[in-house]
Amino acid sequence: MIPKLIIHGGAGLVESPEFTERQYEKALKGIIKETYSKLLKKGAREAVLYGVRLLEDNPLFNAGYGSRLQKDGRVRMSAAIMDSVSQKFSGVINVCNVRHPIDVANSLQRKRHTVLGGRGATEYARRQKMEYCSPLAPHRIKEHEERVKGETGTVGVVAIDSRGCICAGTSTGGVGYETPGRVSDSATVAGTYASKVCGVSCTGKGESIVNQAVAAKIVARVEDGVPLNVAVERLFKIARSKKLKFGLISLDAEGNAVVGNGYNSKVLYAKHYGQHIETFLKR
Ligand code: ASP
């Protein structure tokens, strides 16, 4: 199996007027190259953690540092991870002031309770000595002052390694200016899911992703023998007809990488096939 990798930096077009599509493409290309080397050396799970951390550290993306602020001016972040070997979903919801929410989610794999939310999650992160970070980036503070209600923005990585392990991870700062405490799809099985047949990471309007149970539904269909591209297209036919704004990245056990775009949304993605890289900007 040639290791394959796909990453995303959110759906729904570029929402911050300061940044261009080219900047997103450049950032995604740099991150996918670095993450692919990690995939070759350390396997799918480590690569997903590494790739999501790089995306969380980059303020262009709405995750980790550079997350959008909720209505009360605070940043609350969510992340989840799952792989085909452990088949354990773990996630963190609305955690505050940590540099890498994906690490908090990952550490919960080994615990009795695998999903934590709110203040308990932040206290847990402190006890685990997760790196502290104030995620407030200047352009996000400006957006908040202008009361920009976003709809999209998240990061995700799906990888398959040489041994066939598939791993999916997602991290988000939410939609922006939402009611404090809103729960996004990212740390639910609708937003992130993986089994032996495929892995999925979603982005876009979380409420719609949850209503459609997107990631878990696609994995279940592929488990029932539907090819990944057909399972994705079936779901997005419905999404487009209902004007649902979300997208996803996915990868199956044969190494097929499929991107899904819903109504009026465009996933900012990069795929690494081992020899070449493809991005959302087709020239
Ligand atoms: N799904 C995220 C949320 O609803 C946002 C996004 O991915 O664009 O919070």
Side-chain angles (χ1 to χ4, degrees):
M1 163 64 63
I2 297 171
K4 303 263 173 59
L5 180 66
I6 179 162
I7 67 176
H8 76 80
L13 314 178
V14 174
E15 287 183 0
S16 299
E18 292 105 298
F19 305 122
T20 63
E21 287 199 333
R22 282 287 156 83
Q23 280 173 289
Y24 281 93
E25 189 196 34
K26 195 166 168 243
L28 287 174
K29 266 188 172 168
I31 289 171
I32 203 164
K33 278 186 200 157
E34 270 197 62
T35 307
Y36 194 77
S37 313
K38 187 61 97 183
L39 178 61
L40 296 180
K41 287 187 212 127
K42 299 271 182 175
R45 192 172 187 96
E46 285 305 316
V48 167
L49 289 168
Y50 186 79
V52 174
R53 282 187 208 118
L54 293 178
L55 290 157
E56 287 175 339
D57 281 344
N58 189 322
L60 272 183
F61 303 106
N62 176 17
Y65 179 71
S67 287
R68 294 209 164 103
L69 283 63
Q70 297 193 337
K71 202 171 185 172
D72 61 354
R74 290 204 74 183
V75 169
R76 296 176 181 85
M77 301 166 288
S78 301
I81 186 163
M82 185 166 188
D83 76 35
S84 60
V85 176
S86 76
Q87 298 222 0
K88 262 196 204 170
F89 176 95
S90 64
V92 68
I93 296 172
N94 287 333
V95 69
C96 295
N97 295 322
V98 286
R99 180 169 173 201
H100 294 128
I102 195 69
D103 285 341
V104 186
N106 187 50
S107 74
L108 286 162
Q109 283 273 311
R110 303 180 292 273
K111 306 290 180 196
R112 186 160 69 101
H113 305 308
T114 48
V115 182
L116 287 182
R119 200 200 300 174
T122 305
E123 286 167 3
Y124 165 82
R126 294 283 159 272
R127 284 198 302 279
Q128 295 295 308
K129 310 232 176 315
M130 293 285 160
E131 193 173 340
Y132 180 92
C133 170
S134 166
L136 294 169
H139 66 291
R140 296 301 187 199
I141 295 173
K142 192 165 160 258
E143 275 179 13
H144 183 261
E145 283 165 359
E146 290 164 2
R147 299 182 182 201
V148 176
K149 284 198 180 83
E151 277 198 303
T152 55
T154 283
V155 304
V157 178
V158 186
I160 181 163
D161 62 27
S162 58
R163 285 174 304 172
C165 172
I166 302 172
C167 184
T170 311
S171 182
T172 189
V175 289
Y177 218 79
E178 62 266 75
T179 302
R182 168 189 178 264
V183 173
S184 101
D185 62 289
S186 304
T188 73
V189 297
T192 308
Y193 206 75
S195 83
K196 281 196 213 91
V197 296
C198 70
V200 181
S201 167
C202 297
T203 170
K205 204 166 177 202
E207 286 74 5
S208 304
I209 295 169
V210 168
N211 287 340
Q212 296 296 317
V214 176
K217 193 183 278 177
I218 286 180
V219 173
R221 283 187 174 150
V222 177
E223 280 175 352
D224 287 346
V226 178
L228 178 61
N229 60 338
V230 176
V232 170
E233 190 41 41
R234 214 181 264 178
L235 202 131
F236 281 100
K237 214 171 151 194
I238 297 168
R240 286 189 292 267
S241 73
K242 292 187 170 178
K243 301 198 166 157
L244 304 179
K245 200 171 173 182
F246 63 80
L248 62 81
I249 57 168
S250 59
L251 200 52
D252 71 14
E254 277 76 52
N256 301 303
V258 180
V259 177
N261 286 302
Y263 173 74
N264 197 20
S265 52
K266 174 171 165 189
V267 177
L268 309 177
Y269 72 86
K271 296 178 185 176
H272 203 312
Y273 296 104
Q275 291 89 10
H276 76 279
I277 294 173
E278 175 192 308
T279 74
F280 67 97
L281 275 185
K282 306 256 168 61
R283 280 181 284 260

